[in-house]
Amino acid sequence: MDKVRLEKLKEGNTDDSDLEIKIKYDPDHMTLSIRDSGIGMTKDDLIEKLGTVAKSGTTQFIDALAASGGDINLIGQFGVGFYSSFLAANKVTVISKSDNDPDQHIWVSHAGPYFQIAKDPRGNTLNRGTEVILNLKSDAEEFAEPEHIKKIV
């Protein structure tokens, strides 16, 4: 989200009303979905940043921002935190759409050394941003409960 804000500010645009994060739970299907309207990822980004354990494009962004004298305190770390999702999920699906790619892509992993990536057959459902869907393990069902989610967030 901070990356989108920064890009908008560079263009003189201070309106960030289109930036949002949504959390959706489905206890019947044991899924937890987190969706944002941030910068999104291209197919190459998904392969580079999610295809390698704990590799984070955020680190590269911070380096570039620091070199330009920007404020780096707003940017969170991504790689290790993302892969910790496999502690609670047996499958992670990432759907992402970047303004730098005409297509939306789906990345799927079952926590092993392999992943699948494909153009989303549904087309562009996000406009811009990323959705992470966690298929929760049977012993992590509390993460699909609204009260538990509120307590964490």
Side-chain angles (χ1 to χ4, degrees), residues 50-87:
L50 303 184
T52 304
V53 174
K55 175 152 175 107
S56 174
T58 302
T59 303
Q60 294 163 339
F61 177 72
I62 289 172
D63 291 344
L65 192 60
S68 70
D71 181 7
I72 64 172
N73 294 323
L74 300 175
I75 311 301
Q77 295 299 314
F78 181 77
V80 174
F82 173 77
Y83 277 91
S84 67
S85 63
F86 287 108
L87 295 172

Side-chain angles (χ1 to χ4, degrees), residues 10 12 30 32 42 55 106 115-116 121 125 149:
K10 285 180 183 177
M30 290 289 292
L32 177 64
T42 65
K55 175 152 175 107
I106 301 174
F115 62 90
Q116 298 171 326
T125 61
I149 294 168

Side-chain angles (χ1 to χ4, degrees), residues 123-141:
N124 180 2
T125 61
L126 297 177
N127 187 35
R128 181 194 69 230
T130 300
E131 182 172 11
V132 178
I133 303 168
L134 306 175
N135 289 77
L136 299 171
K137 295 178 180 178
S138 59
D139 63 349
E141 61 189 20

